[in-house]
Amino acid sequence: MGDTSSDIAEMSFEDALRALEDVVRKLESGEAKLDESIDLYERGEKLRQLCQARLDAAQERIEKIVAGPDGKPQGTQPFDAD
């Protein structure tokens, strides 16, 4: 594949997601030879890990608005994933 791990690490979330979708399309087509399929799978896993890490980082930054008794925003608190 043309991209190395360092190239993947520098991708934006959107670019990595598009590249991952492209990998999935190629694998699902069944047209890739075995060695190419293995390389595609490895690249796809690296892209998936990057996307997941970016999503996790974004989730940590999300804040939810806390409404007071009058329904107006009182402040913020960290996002609770539970």
Side-chain angles (χ1 to χ4, degrees):
M1 306 274 58
D3 294 304
T4 64
S5 294
S6 63
D7 292 337
I8 290 174
E10 295 173 11
M11 288 180 157
S12 69
F13 172 80
E14 293 78 10
D15 289 341
L17 186 57
R18 276 191 290 276
L20 180 56
E21 290 169 344
D22 187 46
V23 166
V24 170
R25 263 191 303 280
K26 288 177 182 176
L27 287 171
E28 286 180 340
S29 76
E31 294 177 13
K33 295 184 181 196
L34 179 61
D35 288 340
E36 183 183 0
S37 293
I38 292 169
D39 290 342
L40 283 167
Y41 184 85
E42 289 173 347
R43 177 173 168 72
E45 180 57 22
K46 290 175 186 172
L47 289 163
R48 185 203 62 79
Q49 289 173 355
L50 174 76
C51 288
Q52 187 62 55
R54 297 275 168 89
L55 286 172
D56 290 345
Q59 182 176 357
E60 290 176 10
R61 293 174 30 207
I62 294 173
E63 295 179 337
K64 65 179 179 181
I65 296 174
V66 180
D70 59 357
K72 294 183 180 179
Q74 292 278 331
T76 61
Q77 68 184 42
F79 177 78
D80 183 9
D82 295 334

